Amino acid sequence: MNMADETTQSDQARAAPAAQPLALRISDRLRRFVDLVGRMGSWLVLPMVIFTIIDVISRKIAWLDDDGRLHGLQVFLVSVFGRMFESTMLQELEWHFHAGLFALVLGYGYIHNAHVRVDLIRENLALRRKAWLELLGITFFLIPYCLTIIWFAYGYAVSSYAMGEMSASTVGLTHRWIIKSVLLFGLVVALLAGISVWLQVAVILWADDRLRFPLMTLEWPEEAGTKIEGKERVKLEDAPDTLVAPDELLKERTSKILTGS
C-alpha cells in the first residue's frame, strides 16, 4: 500500500463520524454522558455496603462491664472518629447512598437496555414496528413523566435548601437538600437517556435503511436473538464445560487449534 492510499483511508476514517446524521451524533454524545454518570454513580454501592456492614456488626458487638458501663465496637468508633458512626447516622447514610445509587443509574440502565421489559408482543414484531413502539413510549410516557417529576423535584430541593432542612431525628444528618438535589440530577440524566434513545430511534425510522450503528434498546434484523437485556446471549452449546478438568480442557482446545476443527 502506497502513501496516497494510506492518506485516503485515513481521511475516510476521519470523515466517517461527520457523515452520520446530526441526530445520531447528538444521541451518541448524550449516551456517553449518561454512561459516564452511571458508571461513576455505581461506585456508591461500595460505601453503601460498607456502612451497612459497619452498622449491623457494630450494634451486635457490645457488652456491659461490672460497673454497668457500655463497651463495644460502635462505642469505640464514635469515640475515635466522631458522631458519623452513631447508629442513626449510619442508617441515614445507608439510605442516602442507596437513593443516590438508584437515581444515578436510572438512565444508565435504559441506554444499556437493562431495565425489565414484559415483552409479550414486542419481541415478535419487526424492527420498524419495535422502533415505532419505542418512539411512542418515549414521546408520550417517558419524557412527559420525567419532566413532571423533575418539575416537582426541583421545588422539593429548592425548598429544602431554603429552610435548611435536616433529618427528623435530632442526631441525624443535616443538609437534606444534597440528597434531594442528587435525585433531581438523576431524573435529568434519565430524561437525557430518553432523548438519546428517541433520536436514535428517529434515525432508524426516517434515515437511510442501509445506515448501521450500535443500537441501545433495539437490535438490527441481522443481530436478532444475539442479545438479551443489553447483554450478549450465550448459547449453552457454545459455553465452556467448567466440569472438565483444566488440563483436559487445555488439551481439547489445543487439539482444535492444531486440527482447525
Side-chain angles (χ1 to χ4, degrees):
M1 181 182 295
N2 57 37
M3 185 64 68
D5 293 337
E6 291 181 356
T7 304
T8 302
Q9 289 187 0
S10 177
D11 292 340
Q12 290 176 347
R14 286 195 296 268
Q20 293 181 339
L22 176 62
L24 199 58
R25 283 179 276 155
I26 296 174
S27 171
D28 187 59
R29 291 185 180 183
L30 291 176
R31 180 194 61 78
R32 291 183 183 182
F33 175 72
V34 173
D35 184 80
L36 176 63
V37 172
R39 291 181 184 277
M40 298 299 292
S42 65
W43 282 98
L44 291 178
V45 73
L46 187 59
M48 182 188 73
V49 170
I50 290 174
F51 281 117
T52 302
I53 292 173
I54 292 175
D55 181 34
V56 172
I57 294 177
S58 62
R59 285 188 285 119
K60 300 299 182 182
I61 304 177
W63 66 91
L64 294 173
D65 61 15
D66 296 336
D67 297 327
R69 290 178 299 183
L70 180 65
H71 298 273
L73 179 58
Q74 190 168 47
V75 176
F76 169 77
L77 291 173
V78 172
S79 64
V80 174
F81 299 104
R83 292 185 55 246
M84 185 180 71
F85 287 94
E86 291 180 355
S87 185
T88 301
M89 297 282 278
L90 286 174
Q91 291 175 25
E92 292 196 359
L93 281 171
E94 291 167 24
W95 75 256
H96 273 63
F97 282 119
H98 186 271
L101 172 66
F102 175 79
L104 296 179
V105 300
L106 271 176
Y108 179 89
Y110 186 43
I111 63 170
H112 287 280
N113 202 30
H115 288 304
V116 176
R117 291 176 180 264
V118 184
D119 289 336
L120 299 178
I121 299 176
R122 177 181 176 276
E123 280 301 307
N124 298 317
L125 298 179
L127 173 64
R128 291 188 64 83
R129 292 190 177 183
K130 287 182 180 179
W132 272 112
L133 278 179
E134 198 79 18
L135 187 79
L136 295 174
I138 296 171
T139 303
F140 295 107
F141 293 98
L142 189 149
I143 291 179
Y145 177 80
C146 284
L147 288 174
T148 303
I149 301 301
I150 287 171
W151 171 260
F152 287 103
Y154 174 76
Y156 197 45
V158 170
S159 62
S160 177
Y161 176 80
M163 70 174 65
E165 184 183 6
M166 59 175 293
S167 170
S169 172
T170 56
V171 294
L173 294 172
T174 59
H175 302 86
R176 183 60 63 83
W177 62 271
I178 295 177
I179 185 59
K180 293 184 177 181
S181 298
V182 172
L183 291 172
L184 173 61
F185 178 70
L187 290 167
V188 172
V189 174
L191 173 64
L192 295 178
I195 295 174
S196 177
V197 175
W198 191 97
L199 290 170
Q200 190 178 82
V201 171
V203 171
I204 294 174
L205 291 172
W206 292 298
D208 189 347
D209 293 341
R210 296 169 297 177
L211 187 63
R212 288 293 184 268
F213 47 89
L215 298 179
M216 288 182 273
T217 61
L218 299 171
E219 293 178 342
W220 294 112
E222 57 270 21
E223 297 176 351
T226 60
K227 293 183 179 180
I228 179 170
E229 293 184 356
K231 303 293 177 62
E232 184 179 355
R233 188 189 296 269
V234 178
K235 296 181 180 180
L236 291 178
E237 56 269 23
D238 296 334
D241 188 355
T242 57
L243 298 179
V244 178
D247 54 341
E248 294 296 328
L249 189 60
L250 180 60
K251 291 179 181 178
E252 181 182 351
R253 290 178 178 175
T254 304
S255 175
K256 287 184 177 180
I257 293 173
L258 295 175
T259 59
S261 59

